[in-house]
Amino acid sequence: MTPIRGSHVLVCGAGGFIGGHLVNTLFAEGAATVRAVDVKPFDEWYQKNPSADSLVLDLQLREPCVKATEGVDSVFQLAADMGGMGFIENNKALCMLSVLTNTHMLVAAREAGVKRFFYSSSACVYNGDKQTSADVVPLKEEDAYPALPEDGYGWEKLFSERMCRHFREDYGLETRVARFHNVYGPLGTWTGGREKAPAAISRKVLEAKHSGSHEIEIWGDGHQTRSFMYIDDCTKGVVDIFNSDILEPINLGSSELVTINQLVDIAEDIAGVKLKRNYNLSAPKGVNGRNSDNTLIQKLLGWEPSIRLRDGMERTMAWIEEQMLAGVSSK
């Protein structure tokens, strides 16, 4: 019997990309009920499960958090103001205001007698001095300290990790924390400024293909390295971590490292085009290198992503192309 099976679950940020997929996964895992909450109006939700109790609430405020946690056993706190590097580098204050959501949700969960609280942190918590080279050494969990996270977004995530720890130690609220590494897939943001690299590259390659321009702008010199985790692997990992006895923050990501140029190679190959690359060296590009060390999660849970980047990108690009050709704009 897992903590999720038969549980009454709350998903915060359920109108977002990962949250929407997670709602479906939790029903598949046997949750008795799922309350899905997001600040966005329903017509802006990425997906909406008809079986969920869906509510539009602003979880930066205390009273909506109290309402959201009524009668639930388990909380998955994914709600945050965030996006890709272009967004978080230019919206540091907005990203830090997510601390209101995490604070009020932890307080409300404790008061409501919630049994277990999952918090979605980020690889942006890691010390920037360990990410200065494209030939990055994969980041282990202990590399978050001494603290030098991504300014704004990363600091907020690291602070909220500590809050989860102290609510567990001081109040007995069972908390679990996963550090997400670049999640991508269908039904996500692919235009508008908040999209991450896989979706942005997919869109740019497809636009170049369909317009006949056969040129693409790449942020930075293309040598920066990253790993990318497909959404199905992410939601499975979230469930496994939630069900586990792992108390400290743990990496949840792929260890399949690629350069941004290699990511473009993959997208070009899928689209069947070869493009002229124009490098925008003044655009936000983040750290030079970041990769997930999965030693701990493999040891404790036997977890490793099952979907290769090439396969995940093929599925993602097929969905984005479908949206583009249908004239649908990203949320």
Side-chain angles (χ1 to χ4, degrees):
M1 183 78 87
T2 68
I4 290 172
R5 189 166 302 281
S7 180
H8 300 282
V9 180
L10 166 64
V11 177
C12 309
F17 166 50
I18 301 174
H21 283 278
L22 182 60
V23 168
N24 301 335
T25 299
L26 292 172
F27 274 121
E29 289 289 321
T33 63
V34 178
R35 181 172 296 146
V37 173
D38 204 284
V39 69
K40 295 185 290 292
F42 286 136
D43 62 357
E44 294 181 16
W45 286 34
Y46 289 67
Q47 53 182 314
K48 192 163 172 274
N49 190 305
S51 299
D53 172 22
S54 298
L55 302 175
V56 174
L57 296 172
D58 185 354
L59 298 179
Q60 286 195 351
L61 306 174
R62 176 168 163 72
E63 286 308 312
C65 292
V66 172
K67 180 176 181 179
T69 52
E70 286 176 359
V72 302
D73 308 307
S74 308
V75 171
F76 291 82
Q77 182 1 40
L78 280 69
D81 231 328
M82 59 85 67
M85 191 50 60
F87 178 81
I88 66 176
E89 281 201 6
N90 294 306
N91 294 276
K92 293 184 176 70
L94 200 60
C95 289
M96 293 205 76
L97 284 173
S98 293
V99 74
L100 295 172
T101 301
N102 298 320
T103 303
H104 290 142
M105 278 305 307
L106 281 164
V107 172
R110 178 201 170 203
E111 292 176 347
V114 166
K115 295 174 183 174
R116 191 163 292 191
F117 186 103
F118 174 91
Y119 175 60
S120 61
S121 187
S122 166
C124 288
V125 303
Y126 283 112
N127 188 312
D129 284 347
K130 295 182 180 291
Q131 303 170 78
T132 56
S133 170
D135 299 319
V136 65
V137 175
L139 294 161
K140 293 181 179 291
E141 283 75 6
E142 59 265 29
D143 290 334
Y145 296 94
L148 188 62
E150 186 85 41
D151 198 11
Y153 179 72
W155 275 110
E156 189 280 324
K157 287 292 188 184
L158 193 62
F159 175 79
S160 293
E161 283 189 8
R162 302 300 290 189
M163 273 206 299
C164 287
R165 174 177 181 163
H166 296 312
F167 266 70
R168 186 186 78 245
E169 292 173 341
D170 294 357
Y171 303 129
L173 175 61
E174 282 289 320
T175 56
R176 301 290 183 269
V177 177
R179 292 173 179 160
F180 290 2
H181 288 249
N182 294 316
V183 187
Y184 75 100
L187 295 167
T189 303
W190 54 275
T191 188
R194 290 184 185 247
E195 67 274 19
K196 295 190 175 183
I201 296 297
S202 296
R203 186 197 76 244
K204 289 178 180 181
V205 168
L206 289 167
E207 285 174 345
K209 174 186 175 181
H210 289 291
S211 69
S213 70
H214 286 249
E215 291 191 16
I216 184 173
E217 181 186 80
I218 297 172
W219 288 6
D221 60 13
H223 297 304
Q224 61 269 39
T225 51
R226 295 291 187 277
S227 64
F228 302 98
M229 172 175 53
Y230 192 70
I231 182 62
D232 292 359
D233 286 323
C234 176
T235 56
K236 182 184 186 306
V238 167
V239 169
D240 288 351
I241 292 167
F242 182 86
N243 288 340
S244 77
D245 295 324
I246 301 168
L247 301 182
E248 297 299 322
I250 190 166
N251 280 334
L252 183 61
S254 171
S255 57
E256 183 184 349
L257 188 70
V258 293
T259 65
I260 296 302
N261 278 328
Q262 288 172 329
L263 184 64
V264 176
D265 289 342
I266 291 170
E268 286 179 336
D269 184 54
I270 292 168
V273 295
K274 197 68 182 171
L275 308 176
K276 178 188 174 187
R277 302 181 184 188
N278 303 314
Y279 295 95
N280 184 349
L281 301 182
S282 63
K285 70 180 185 70
V287 296
N288 288 323
R290 177 182 292 155
N291 194 15
S292 177
D293 186 309
N294 287 354
T295 303
L296 188 59
I297 197 168
Q298 286 174 348
K299 175 185 175 183
L300 297 179
L301 297 178
W303 183 92
E304 179 67 26
S306 63
I307 299 167
R308 293 183 314 143
L309 180 58
R310 175 65 167 72
D311 297 334
M313 281 292 287
E314 193 163 5
R315 299 179 197 180
T316 302
M317 289 184 71
W319 179 80
I320 290 176
E321 188 168 33
E322 200 176 89
Q323 301 302 297
M324 287 175 59
L325 296 178
V328 178
S329 61
S330 180
K331 292 181 172 63

